[in-house]
Amino acid sequence: HDIKLRPHQINAIARTIYGGNTLLGHVVGAGKTMIMIASCMEQRRMGIIKKAMFIVPNHITGDFGSEFLRLYPQSKVLVTTKKDFQKKNRQRFVSRIATGDYDAVIIGHSQFERIPVSEERKELMIQKEIDELMMGIEESKKENGQNWSIKQMEVQKKKLDVELEKLHDTKKDDVINFEELGVEAIYLDEAHYYKNLAVFTKMRGVGGIGGSRAKKASDMLMKVDYINEINGAERGVVFATGTPISNSMVEMFVMQRYLQHQELNKRGLKNFDSWAAQFGEVVSSLELAPEGTGYRIKNRFAKFVNLPELMTMFKDVADIQTKDMLDLPVPNLKDDKSIVIASEGSDYLEEKMMEFAERAENIRNGEDPRIDNMLKVTNEARLIGLDPRILDPIAPNDENSKVNKCVEKVYDEYLKSNNFKGTQIIFSDVGTPSKKRFSVYPYIRNELIKKGIPEHEICFIHEAKSDVQREEMFFDMRSGYKRIILGSTQKMGTGTNIQDKLISLHHLDCPWRPADLEQREGRILRQGNQNKEVSIYKYVTKSSFDAYMWQLVESKQKFIAQVMTSKTVSRNAEDIDETVLSYAEVKAIATGNPLIKEKMQVDNEVSRLKILKANFDSKKYSLEDRILYSYPQQIKRQEEIIECIVKDIEIRNGNIKEEFEMKINNKIFDEREKAGLYIFALFNKMNEDETKSIGRFNGFELLLKNGFFSGDKEIILKENKSYSVSISDSPHGNLIKLENILKSFEKQVETAEIRIDEINRNLNQAKEEFKKTFLHKEKLETLLRKQSELNSELDMDKNNIVINEEVETKADEKIEEIEIGECL
């Protein structure tokens, strides 16, 4: 067989089998598909499960089925198609799942949701949530003494009551329930699509906590709980995603709620507020207003505390594999970073941005939200940052716009890679093909055709209307017949294996989530790419909404980058790390206001120096601890050892006999073999984990220690110090070992003296290091003063515009709805 699994894949398979519920948090391109397939088949072979269901994005069910058969050609797999879940075919198909003896059933995300759980289970779950909500509020009132009104509690409860009523009123197809399918394990691919599980909380006006309740997430929770129930423990559920935390800290709690609910209950963390009180903190920070022309203070749930404890619990279910942990054969980025191409904002764009600022002011002053609202402003500002013609078809076409710069760069890369038919991928979630409005997709294609690129070499992912057409398009990209593909993250961010000849990737817009950027770039930085070096371009328009988008991505990436790390985690996660700094640099270039741009650059440098200062301080505290406590204690310990051994040397010398003699249980043995056999007999009568005194040898007390394990047996000589030897199979040899111990006392004293010299050298070196001061102290102090000055200047305008606190959350949810609708 030509397939060889990597060590991290083998370890992950073992973990899913022996460790219960698992979250495969492996970086994009690490081979999660094969892990899930092999895990299923190994458990089938071992008789642990009889039938497994794989829930994968709709557009890759066929690809996933092909991969399954490539790994296990003899397996019996049922793969769903769109036709199977048409209303007339659904009942018959679900019956096939229930009655067939399949190794695996592969089903699309939206199709999985159409298999209902029983009405009783739905009612039970919602009632349980109502009970947990009420209990959580009561506990919070008792613990924190917060005056929660009956009205506030009823509002939360009413939402759930309405949900309960909807369940009864919603008409469902007369199909078999999920519980009747015989499924004993579920494998969920791209699990981050199920992150919008309802989180009930008393926190108000805090960014990063969405109260949305996605139906598919609630449905998944019921099915996960059922699988855990029938398995009698938290096992049988495997989630896989390259981006376990894609948008907010709440997603960590959501993943734990899915996979380790019992553990949360055991620790008293079953509701979000108790979890947040233990592991999270609300942070206030200065950030750009969405229209890009001012500043405001925003509260965000964006800081982890007690991180080591949280990660210890999380890693009970999460198998984290980051890029720095895996030496995957993927191409390198040219100059080790993305290339940012910035465009100056046109006069037209600047006029529109001022218009957005005025609209925001009107909204603050009470504009009817049905006429205008901040969600509309932010969405329009995002569109105009890509190309003003999306909003206004007669807007001027700026020849220096980022879309036109992208066309130039794509053509340049096309010519450079002609000799090996290098391919390119362009991502844009905004301006997708539409018959009703201007779209950048056909514009880019037409401009490239004008430059001489044949039309058949350019394609849109949206043109593939079926799985067959999609696979044909991907085959053409892999072969180089097609050279340029345009698509959105939702349609092309996952399950798109076209990396063979990819030479460059273009981010025409900035998505809402860091995870989307990672998924996009996972298309080119992937195993199987024949190019050793590739380019990634990020296009930004100055003075546009791009600045706000990059900042939003940065604030979300702050904690994600630190939590999803292989390195030792700090107690708190808030500082920016290297991954985030690259986003921050893009944001700085995208910002037209020179004062804000200066603040961004100062912030970046302050963050970098603070990380260095924190490391320096941590090292200094460690040195202080060693100088005052650790090294002196080690020296004292060695001196005590020498003192004890010197006394024991006197005892040994005063009891030396010419012939062998050992006293055991008042019996005198003068033969080593017989003494050794008698010691074996005594061991056999001892209990586990027992230590027993049996006699004397050369003036020393003789003890036997019988440990928990068969190999953990020792003979001990004890007076001022204890000396032990491990038991071997030779009775005579064990007694020789004891005699050698007595002969080694002088050598042990010498070893202790050498150790004291070594510790003293380390102590002196530590004292020298401790005297050193932080190398960048003056620079950091200067920058902190500058940062304070800039904050003061920018703070003057912060009250001019009041932003709806829920704009980002609503915008995020709205865009996600559009993306999912597009995908379906």
Side-chain angles (χ1 to χ4, degrees), residues 493-558:
T494 56
T496 305
N497 294 318
I498 55 171
Q499 64 270 24
D500 301 41
K501 292 177 178 287
L502 276 179
I503 193 67
S504 67
L505 179 144
H506 306 263
H507 292 294
L508 203 49
D509 65 347
C510 174
W512 285 93
R513 298 171 288 249
D516 292 338
L517 280 175
E518 197 171 331
Q519 289 289 354
R520 286 180 177 189
E521 292 177 3
R523 299 315 103 208
I524 189 167
L525 302 175
R526 198 175 187 86
Q527 295 179 70
N529 193 327
Q530 296 161 13
N531 299 301
K532 289 184 179 177
E533 205 173 51
V534 297
S535 300
I536 291 178
Y537 296 96
K538 292 175 180 174
Y539 298 85
V540 293
T541 304
K542 292 182 181 180
S543 304
S544 76
F545 192 58
D546 286 356
Y548 181 70
M549 287 298 299
W550 285 108
Q551 178 183 272
L552 208 61
V553 167
E554 175 200 330
S555 65
K556 290 170 183 176
Q557 181 67 16
K558 277 185 185 181

Side-chain angles (χ1 to χ4, degrees), residues 590-652:
T591 304
N593 183 328
L595 203 58
I596 295 175
K597 180 177 178 179
E598 186 182 358
K599 173 172 168 54
M600 296 303 171
Q601 289 166 340
V602 169
D603 283 352
N604 292 342
E605 188 61 10
V606 165
S607 297
R608 188 181 72 83
L609 292 178
K610 275 186 174 180
I611 291 169
L612 293 176
K613 177 75 164 58
N615 290 336
F616 176 82
D617 289 343
S618 177
K619 187 180 176 184
K620 196 152 186 169
Y621 295 142
S622 176
L623 285 171
E624 187 178 29
D625 184 62
R626 285 183 225 165
I627 293 165
L628 295 177
Y629 305 107
S630 179
Y631 289 149
Q633 284 173 2
Q634 288 177 42
I635 291 168
K636 188 181 176 186
R637 174 71 184 136
Q638 294 301 320
E639 287 172 344
E640 287 170 352
I641 287 170
I642 291 171
E643 188 182 335
C644 290
I645 298 173
V646 167
K647 288 177 183 176
D648 285 343
I649 288 172
E650 288 177 14
I651 293 170
R652 178 200 67 187

Side-chain angles (χ1 to χ4, degrees), residues 697-709:
F697 178 56
N698 268 78
F700 291 83
E701 184 183 5
L702 188 65
L703 301 99
L704 302 184
K705 182 183 177 183
N706 187 33
F708 275 113
F709 305 102

Side-chain angles (χ1 to χ4, degrees), residues 458-469:
I458 308 166
C459 59
F460 306 159
I461 189 68
H462 302 76
E463 292 169 339
K465 304 296 183 188
S466 67
D467 291 343
V468 173
Q469 289 177 348

Side-chain angles (χ1 to χ4, degrees), residues 73-91:
Q74 304 301 317
S75 59
K76 193 175 180 186
V77 182
L78 178 64
V79 182
T80 61
T81 64
K82 289 177 184 175
K83 200 181 288 182
D84 293 324
F85 268 77
Q86 287 172 356
K87 199 165 184 180
K88 59 182 179 182
N89 302 326
R90 201 175 302 160
Q91 175 72 49

